[in-house]
Amino acid sequence: EVHLVESGGGLVQPGRSLRLSCTASGFTFDDYAMHWVRLVPGKGLEWVAGISWNSGSIGYADSVKGRSTISRDNAKNSLYLQVNSLRPEDTGVYYCAQDRGSYYSADFQHWGQGTLVTVSS
Amino acid sequence: QSVLTQPPSASGTPGQRVTISCSGSSSNIGDHTVNWYQQRPGTAPKLLLYNNVLGPSGVPDRFSGSKSGTSASLAISGLQSEDEGDYYCATWDNSLNGPVFGGGTKLTVL
């Protein structure tokens, strides 16, 4: 059974940084692309970033481009998201999601339970 | 403002059939397959349909999808109380070079 567990969320002041982690189990991690998707209050789901199986292809939403870095460590079955210069509009529940394929697409096959990030002073 | 347009709400009584629409453009739905996600209150999203019409193992065949041109729709037949939640369509967008979601439709079972 696929299991994705996010961690690293919390209350953060605007302008600060945050690093989210996702630990995967139940599947061959380095066979699949992975994503971060957030649920923004009152707005719905928003794709944040995606990374291919070998980190060779990476993409970001315009809302976080230039201040975020997605990465993975296949040896540790782990996915990460570093977000800098946090803004109040970054507030939301951040989900780790497994793609159906090796290169990131819009196919989010399995999801973690999410970690809440609140950006506020 | 989401790239894909969904009605904000839908409702039906138990046993009824409900449809949810998703409208896009030639750079997204018009050129790519559509996926649907269900998010029940307090839980993580779940893949409901992929490649327009296919349901992952475990998804009841009460859920069906279709696509025509730059629009797609999700149909739920034999509505049940457990179907309450938020439904999102998603696809790839060529202009944004990434996945995009609809704004979500809140389904209420009366």
Side-chain angles (χ1 to χ4, degrees):
Chain A
E1 182 185 356
V2 172
H3 209 46
L4 300 168
V5 180
E6 302 92 339
S7 60
L11 175 63
V12 188
Q13 291 182 327
R16 304 296 291 265
S17 298
L18 197 66
R19 190 191 196 214
L20 304 179
S21 300
C22 170
T23 302
S25 61
F27 65 100
T28 305
F29 185 70
D30 56 10
D31 277 351
Y32 295 91
M34 297 294 295
H35 302 265
W36 288 99
V37 178
R38 63 189 180 189
L39 178 63
V40 179
K43 290 192 174 182
L45 295 174
E46 179 188 21
W47 175 75
V48 176
I51 185 168
S52 65
W53 68 282
N54 62 353
S55 305
S57 181
I58 288 175
Y60 299 95
D62 288 343
S63 57
V64 301
K65 195 176 293 181
R67 58 188 185 94
S68 297
T69 302
I70 186 173
S71 61
R72 64 190 295 163
D73 185 336
N74 287 345
K76 295 182 178 179
N77 286 358
S78 294
L79 177 73
Y80 308 100
L81 181 70
Q82 173 86 21
V83 185
N84 303 320
S85 303
L86 280 160
R87 307 165 180 170
E89 54 264 38
D90 291 319
T91 293
V93 178
Y94 284 69
Y95 297 100
C96 166
Q98 177 204 27
D99 200 289
R100 288 183 59 245
S102 301
Y103 292 89
Y104 67 92
S105 66
D107 295 0
F108 312 105
Q109 180 171 227
H110 294 287
W111 300 65
Q113 287 304 304
T115 185
L116 176 62
V117 173
T118 304
V119 183
S120 174
S121 53
Chain B
Q1 195 82 358
S2 302
V3 173
L4 305 179
T5 301
Q6 297 180 234
S9 64
S11 64
T13 56
Q16 269 191 333
R17 183 176 187 270
V18 170
T19 61
I20 297 172
S21 63
C22 176
S23 177
S25 69
S26 58
S27 70
N28 43 66
I29 293 179
D31 199 31
H32 298 280
T33 59
V34 175
N35 304 317
W36 289 91
Y37 299 89
Q38 176 195 57
Q39 186 169 30
R40 293 189 175 115
T43 69
K46 167 189 167 183
L47 178 62
L48 200 59
L49 295 175
Y50 64 98
N51 287 1
N52 304 324
V53 299
L54 300 177
S57 173
V59 173
D61 57 9
R62 301 187 294 105
F63 295 91
S64 61
S66 64
K67 182 189 128 172
S68 178
T70 60
S71 293
S73 65
L74 170 70
I76 309 171
S77 59
L79 200 61
Q80 300 179 3
S81 58
E82 66 196 49
D83 298 334
E84 278 204 337
D86 295 320
Y87 291 80
Y88 297 89
C89 58
T91 188
W92 187 269
D93 189 279
N94 294 333
S95 300
L96 298 175
N97 198 29
V100 290
F101 284 95
T105 298
K106 184 176 185 62
L107 175 64
T108 301
V109 180
L110 302 170

